[in-house]
């Protein structure tokens, strides 16, 4: 935080007028104007800020917490305050009527060269609000969001008002900041000078060494914790916006930032070594100054396509190009649509389908390696070549030949709709307007209503079985949401089969995220003399990354801050570690002053998940 002398110097350097100084002093001396809550969908919480020396509130861990991470690790930001005093906004409603509201921005930020208010929202929220009233939120000529009434209030004071959206958030940087959070707080005081010198010398000898190789080469002399501490302290340089530290094979380590910039400018080509074994349909190669797509890999020749020009090279000639390094493999970016198609086809496949495809894939792999066809008793030659064609077609389309070998038995037969369009339309309308409502009608009752509607319009009536199948084909989540509400629909929400930068994360390492909660056990305790003691309460602390139980606490007392603090005490006793982020529910014990003071003392971020989730 700025000292009084530092603040006075900042005022003088930027020539801040007296009225603005009074406004800034009032904001700096005022507590947060309100205690935030996450509502029914946002994850709210408290972040222990080293820069500010206090806990900072956030209403959304996807937007506002991301903004806190940006400001916490931005050298240009001197101070930032959450929930500053409300400011007046005056603007016109969509029908032209004047409006005036008291608005509480998310943050007031003091930077090296400016200061002002910042409002952080998701891109979807700003889009919706701009459609509701474009006089409050709109885009400027550069396509960035702005709030004209906020700007009109701030500019006379020499301050700014900015709208920041989720589109401004760098997901890789956020992931790396969370990964290094404990190392930022620990600092480099415990590092021995000899360890730092060895690590810097190793990286200087091989600039841009992958983090995976550095961890392997330094094993036994430098611990991974030491390397990550040096990265956090700036002794070793890693571009935190380039790749995730949790994927060390993709991270390049340099001795200094200048070395990294020189290495990037000197990079001439991204070509990869090529081998005959790595060549597949759909691969891309660079040959004689042109890029070529591999469209077929045969037994005697390789077919290449470039600008609609098809060329076939004998295998022997192609191997000569490889030996002379005249052909290089080009990196191929994964197509997200192709990846989704692969996952969709695999999710629809049954266990028998997967076993069949695995058997066929084994026969094709054996044929590719040896060039010998399977025995006719195993599979007829004509059938095998049909499988091989399907394999190569899928490999070219999806870069995965395996999906082409999945049986398509479920797609056989005449699947043309037998009902006329009018009946199908009435059936869908009936499901949407009558069945998917809070009245929770039975399928039969909704079908009877549909039958009457169809008879009134002289349209063929769908059978009850057809109606039930149509109901089951609709989204289970949307259907449950409309019939039973948000809490019930959460139980059938989409399962995340894979994690990406936009998918809810569960941490990149142990102790990064932990969950704590209570449950009353289904056991009755009885003393020796037959005196009933009642049912005990179990407080459980689990690690989100490893799913391991870190600590538990048993008591006959109802859940309270004492149970929470004793569980954390047991975790520290067992592992000598404190969780970096603690996820709790909306229970009163988790909002206790004692509990929040403990988390702030040990710099643990508290996140409060939405109700019933």
């Amino acid at each position: 935080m700025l000292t009084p002398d530092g603040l006075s110097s900042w005022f003088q350097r930027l020539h801040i007028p007296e009225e603005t100084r009074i406004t800034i002093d009032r904001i700096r001396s005022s507590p947060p104007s309100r205690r935030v809550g996450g509502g029914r969908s946002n994850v709210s919480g408290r972040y222990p800020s080293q820069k500010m020396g206090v806990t900072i509130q956030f209403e959304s861990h996807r937007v506002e917490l991301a903004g806190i991470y940006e400001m916490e690790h931005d050298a240009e930001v001197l101070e930032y305050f959450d929930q500053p005093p409300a400011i007046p906004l005056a603007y016109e409603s969509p029908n032209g009527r004047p409006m005036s509201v008291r608005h509480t921005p998310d943050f007031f930020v003091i930077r090296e060269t400016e200061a002002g208010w910042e409002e952080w929202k998701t891109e979807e929220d700003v889009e919706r609000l701009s459609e509701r009233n474009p006089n409050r939120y709109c885009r400027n000529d550069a396509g960035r969001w702005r709030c004209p009434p906020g700007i009109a209030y701030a500019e006379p004071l020499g301050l700014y008002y900015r709208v920041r959206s989720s589109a401004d958030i760098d997901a890789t940087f956020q992931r790396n900041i969370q990964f290094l959070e404990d190392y930022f707080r620990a600092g480099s005081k415990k590092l021995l000078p000899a360890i730092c010198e060895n690590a810097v010398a190793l990286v200087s000898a091989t600039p841009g060494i992958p983090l995976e190789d550095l961890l392997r080469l330094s094993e036994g002399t430098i611990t991974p914790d030491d390397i990550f501490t040096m990265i956090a302290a700036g002794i070793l340089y890693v571009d935190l916006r380039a790749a995730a530290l949790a994927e060390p094979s993709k991270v390049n380590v340099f001795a200094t930032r200048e070395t990294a910039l020189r290495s990037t400018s000197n990079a001439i080509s991204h070509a990869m070594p090529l081998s005959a074994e790595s060549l597949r349909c759909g691969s891309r190669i660079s040959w004689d100054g042109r890029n070529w797509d591999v469209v077929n890999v045969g037994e005697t020749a390789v077919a290449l396509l470039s600008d609609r020009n098809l060329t076939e090279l004998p295998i022997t000639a192609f191997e000569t190009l490889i030996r002379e390094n005249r052909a290089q493999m080009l990196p191929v970016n994964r197509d997200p649509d192709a990846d989704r198609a692969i996952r969709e086809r695999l999710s629809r496949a049954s266990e028998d389908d997967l076993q069949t495809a695995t058997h066929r894939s084994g026969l094709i792999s054996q044929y590719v390696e040896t060039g010998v066809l399977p025995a006719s008793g195993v599979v007829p030659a004509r059938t095998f070549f049909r499988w091989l064609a399907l394999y190569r077609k899928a490999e070219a389309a999806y870069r995965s030949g395996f999906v082409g070998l999945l049986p398509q038995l479920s797609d056989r037969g005449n699947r043309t709709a037998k009902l006329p369009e009018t009946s199908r339309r009435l059936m869908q309308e009936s499901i949407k307007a009558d069945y998917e409502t809070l009245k929770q009608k039975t399928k039969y009752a909704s079908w009877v209503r549909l039958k009457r509607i169809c008879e009134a319009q002289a349209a063929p009536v769908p059978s009850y079985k057809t109606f039930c199948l149509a109901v089951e084909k609709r989204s289970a989540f949307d259907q449950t949401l409309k019939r039973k509400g948000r809490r019930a629909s959460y139980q059938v929400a989409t399962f995340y089969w894979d994690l990406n930068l936009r998918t809810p994360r569960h941490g990149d390492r142990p102790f990064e995220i932990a969950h704590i909660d209570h449950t009353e056990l289904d056991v009755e305790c009885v003393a020796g003399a037959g005196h009933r003691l009642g049912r005990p309460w179990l407080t459980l602390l689990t690690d989100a990354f490893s799913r391991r139980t870190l600590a538990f606490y048993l008591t006959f007392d109802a859940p309270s801050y004492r149970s929470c603090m004793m569980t954390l005490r047991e975790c520290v006793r067992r592992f000598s570690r404190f969780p970096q982020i603690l996820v709790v529910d909306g229970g009163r014990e988790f909002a206790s002053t004692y509990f929040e003071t403990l988390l702030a003392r040990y710099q643990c971020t508290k996140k409060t998940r939405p109700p019933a989730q």
Side-chain angles (χ1 to χ4, degrees), residues 513-563:
I513 302 175
H515 293 252
I516 188 171
D517 207 351
H518 320 277
T519 183
E520 192 174 16
L521 298 181
D522 291 331
V523 294
E524 187 84 15
C525 296
V526 181
H531 177 66
R532 292 187 176 182
L533 301 178
R535 295 166 60 186
W537 283 88
L538 171 67
T539 303
L540 202 64
L541 180 70
T542 57
D543 180 68
F545 180 78
S546 63
R547 302 297 196 269
R548 177 175 179 178
T549 298
L550 299 178
F552 66 90
Y553 182 69
L554 281 170
T555 179
F556 286 104
D557 296 332
S560 67
Y561 73 90
R562 290 182 290 273
S563 302

Side-chain angles (χ1 to χ4, degrees), residues 268-276 278-280 282-294 302 304-305 313 317-332:
I268 301 174
S269 173
H270 297 284
M272 299 183 295
L274 176 64
S275 64
S278 63
L279 199 64
R280 297 287 186 273
S283 299
R284 303 197 71 208
I285 67 170
S286 174
W287 171 41
D288 195 23
R290 296 174 65 181
N291 295 338
W292 300 78
D293 293 318
V294 179
V302 177
L304 305 175
L305 181 66
L313 287 179
F318 192 78
E319 290 177 346
T320 301
L321 294 177
I322 295 173
R323 286 195 300 269
E324 296 176 357
N325 198 28
R326 293 167 57 191
Q328 297 86 28
M329 181 89 75
L330 294 176
V332 179

Side-chain angles (χ1 to χ4, degrees), residues 62-82:
R62 302 236 172 262
V63 183
E64 290 181 16
L65 179 58
I68 290 174
Y69 280 132
E70 293 275 357
M71 294 182 287
E72 185 75 13
H73 299 280
D74 186 352
E76 291 292 317
V77 175
L78 304 178
E79 291 182 337
Y80 63 98
F81 303 88
D82 65 289

Side-chain angles (χ1 to χ4, degrees), residues 434-452:
D434 188 61
Y435 180 75
E436 294 178 349
T437 65
L438 291 176
K439 293 182 179 179
Q440 297 188 34
K441 286 188 176 181
T442 63
K443 294 176 185 176
Y444 187 78
S446 295
W447 175 76
V448 169
R449 179 178 178 274
L450 171 64
K451 180 181 178 182
R452 292 171 181 167

Side-chain angles (χ1 to χ4, degrees), residues 327-399:
Q328 297 86 28
M329 181 89 75
L330 294 176
V332 179
N333 295 327
R334 296 290 300 180
D335 183 1
D337 293 334
D339 289 341
R340 280 193 293 271
I342 291 173
R343 289 197 297 271
E344 183 180 351
R345 293 189 65 176
L346 290 176
S347 64
R348 293 201 311 262
S350 64
E351 185 176 351
D352 292 338
D353 291 342
L354 295 175
Q355 290 178 356
T356 301
T358 302
H359 171 67
R360 295 174 179 178
S361 178
L363 295 178
I364 290 176
S365 299
Q366 183 179 359
Y367 170 73
V368 172
E369 293 176 2
T370 63
V372 179
L373 286 171
S376 58
V378 177
V379 58
R382 184 174 177 179
T383 301
F384 177 78
F385 282 117
R386 179 169 57 84
W387 293 348
L388 185 60
L390 292 172
Y391 181 89
R392 288 175 173 170
K393 182 178 179 181
E395 194 172 50
Y398 307 111
R399 308 195 189 284

Side-chain angles (χ1 to χ4, degrees), residues 204-218:
S204 299
T206 53
I209 181 175
L211 178 58
E212 184 179 49
D213 295 343
L214 178 61
L215 294 171
R216 187 181 68 254
L217 294 174
S218 60

